[in-house]
Amino acid sequence: MSLLPKTHEDFSQKEYWNAFFKKRGTKAFEWYGEYPELCGLLHKYIKPKDMILMIGCGNSTLSADLYDVGYRHITNIDISHIVIRQMQDAHGKDRPDMVYQQMDALNMTFNDCKFSVVLDKGTLDALMPDDSEDVKNRIDKLFQEIDRVLRIGGRYVCISLLQEHILVKLLDFFPTAGWMFRVCRCMEAEQKSAESGEGAGLPVFIVVCTKFKKLPNVQPVLEVCLAGDHIQRVGSPEEVRTSVKSLQQSSMVCARLNRGSVAGNGEVYLDLFRPDETTPRYTVHVLDQPYARETGRRFAAFIVPQGRETEWLFSTPEGRATLLKSAGFDRLAVVALHRDQKYDGLDAVQEELADSILHLAPPGLGQNTQIPFLSVGSDVGRREVCYRGHSQMSGDFVVEEVEGDGGHLFRRLIFLSNQGVVQSEARLKLLKFRKGKQKKVIDVGYLACEHHTYMIVGVALATRDGTESNVAVIGLGGGGLCTFLQHCFQKVRITAVDIDPAMLEVATEYFDLVQDERLDVYIRDGAQFIQQAAEKGTQFHAILFDVDSKTPGAGMSCPPPQFLEPLLLEDIKKCIGHKGVFILNIVCRVSDLREKAINNLKAIFKSVCSYKLEQEVNEIIFCTNYTFEEKVMWKSGIEDAAKRVNILAKKRKLQTENLVDVENLVKSLNITA
């Protein structure tokens, strides 16, 4: 495997290990593999001329297999005199140079520096079931004895499942003593375990500790080899622990996927990394339909082209569930490609992913099965970063160009802290000049965000009399909403407010925002702007809130909580007066938070009306101070405003397709007050 997986599922690793070892019982050797699975790595670190000590040999055949391929200097010890006698009887005649001795590995009688290799297959795991003080003291004695009997340049080769407390103990002892420390993944043993149904497909590791004299002021050498033959130097024990734990957790996820369906339990997702890289190359979401049959389950991978990973069908659980159903497979792995990565075409992506995808297969699918790869079109899509910037408010961001449906080119603003969400988007068009020259410009007549379309309906409702009107837009972003308002409504004066100066720069330089006599942009805190406007008695025909929250995981990502506080809503009520409209974009995934927000609005405004966008998490809220008699005309007024938006757009030649689905809008309006 050339890619390293990292799961995001919340596994209780301690509970899993406890159950695993309880199930294992007295079985030992099949969980770690035998000579055919281990030999590829063992031959790299153990030479035929080495003096080898195998501690805790038990009844393993590993020593005999090594002996038969030329390793003749092998001494085996075990604390059990019964197993030593059994092994002497079994191998004494055919392998006369093999030595078996009953001995405690914690108190060996060998001379100092006698061996060049100490080989340990599962003995450390057996001796260290937990990290209690008594157990840790016992392991200290074991490691001290290994140190004593090994020569300088010798190696302690430990085959282990590397529970966290075991890896911590290894890292505490050997690197601190000046030993070189390397952790290798044994893919063959892991695969054999998975095929046989034993071991739950857990990764098997070979830890190679090479003894050197400890020198002052010399940092220990720490390495991991977890993807093929690629050896990666790391800077701290914590990096070793993190790499191993991520691999173990992802293997547990894969084992669970191999055992049964995740239908009804959401979806599982993992990131896939290249060795030495800290940013993902792929993100894979795995989801199931309820299985209709016990065998022959159909499995496929769907590669999302670059630039399309933010679309509803690919970016939301609901969308991916729809994709699964339409694809007609029992299990689907939806693969997203990451920015800042280069891909050499669809075939190259499929080849790179093949092994990783096979590990996500459902039960009953053979290891040699060809997994079909699906996609949209015949390539991986196009993504080109044209600007990288940093915002004090939102962190790093990029302005990128991607190719969408129909060959259209789009320019997007993406905050890297929330890469699955398009902050702003505009469609590009080519202007032709003399001598065949072309220039890319923003298509000001295209509204990329569907929720902006329905926010504009509120503006049309507020400005229906056709007189000069003032509109405040809180939240600039790339300026697409303001630019469209500027071109659609000839008698509307727009005041845009954004707290982030970086957004004004981006909107001007990359999204063709133009300030003129009808559009002013203020770099201010939006809440303070509304508060001061109310104090001054400033009136707006419409106030639009399109502000995202900077607090991840808050449940409501738009707007921030302070924008729904009763005092601020009272100020908005003053600013829009009796005839104005407050238009709010809400993105909320927690029903209790949404209900609280609606109740806050209902407590302030006489009329509250909402429209939930299909296939989107956005909900547009219209709030007014209409009297009861005027409220009766509420729905028909919105219908007329929606029709007006469509007429104006066509008249201004802004967008040829129908902007607003008037029938669905009116049908789905929810008047809550």
Side-chain angles (χ1 to χ4, degrees), residues 219-244:
Q219 292 295 319
V221 176
L222 303 171
E223 296 176 337
V224 292
C225 182
L226 305 180
D229 295 326
H230 182 88
I231 298 172
Q232 179 184 355
R233 183 74 58 89
V234 298
S236 68
E238 180 60 33
E239 290 183 65
V240 178
R241 290 197 295 269
T242 299
S243 298
V244 170

Side-chain angles (χ1 to χ4, degrees), residues 27-81:
K27 293 183 180 181
F29 306 118
E30 63 267 40
W31 306 90
Y32 299 88
E34 294 294 347
Y35 175 76
E37 295 82 51
L38 301 171
C39 63
L41 282 170
L42 292 181
H43 289 179
K44 287 183 178 181
Y45 300 109
I46 306 175
K47 304 305 178 187
K49 65 180 181 180
D50 282 331
M51 298 293 293
I52 304 169
L53 171 64
M54 186 166 184
I55 58 174
C57 64
N59 58 6
S60 171
T61 61
L62 182 58
S63 292
D65 292 328
L66 286 169
Y67 186 97
D68 291 343
V69 295
Y71 292 81
R72 297 306 171 86
H73 312 293
I74 304 177
T75 298
N76 302 271
I77 66 170
D78 198 283
I79 199 169
S80 170
H81 68 277

Side-chain angles (χ1 to χ4, degrees), residues 432-542:
K432 296 182 179 180
F433 297 93
R434 294 178 180 177
K435 299 181 180 180
K437 292 184 178 181
Q438 294 180 327
K439 180 183 179 182
K440 288 184 289 189
V441 297
I442 298 296
D443 182 355
V444 297
Y446 174 78
L447 270 180
C449 300
E450 187 181 4
H451 71 274
H452 283 169
T453 300
Y454 291 91
M455 294 184 81
I456 289 171
V457 172
V459 176
L461 180 67
T463 61
R464 57 191 178 277
D465 58 7
T467 60
E468 296 283 343
S469 305
N470 291 321
V471 172
V473 178
I474 311 301
L476 177 66
L481 175 60
C482 291
T483 297
F484 192 91
L485 288 171
Q486 189 181 25
H487 287 81
C488 186
F489 297 96
Q490 299 296 307
K491 293 185 177 181
V492 168
R493 190 177 189 281
I494 306 152
T495 302
V497 182
D498 201 293
I499 196 171
D500 191 347
M503 292 303 97
L504 177 56
E505 179 184 352
V506 167
T508 303
E509 294 295 324
Y510 294 95
F511 291 89
D512 294 357
L513 180 77
V514 178
Q515 296 189 65
D516 58 17
E517 67 278 359
R518 292 195 303 109
L519 172 60
D520 289 320
V521 179
Y522 294 91
I523 303 302
R524 301 270 300 279
D525 178 277
Q528 292 180 3
F529 174 85
I530 294 295
Q531 180 184 7
Q532 292 172 3
E535 291 173 353
K536 295 176 182 178
T538 305
Q539 294 287 295
F540 293 101
H541 293 79

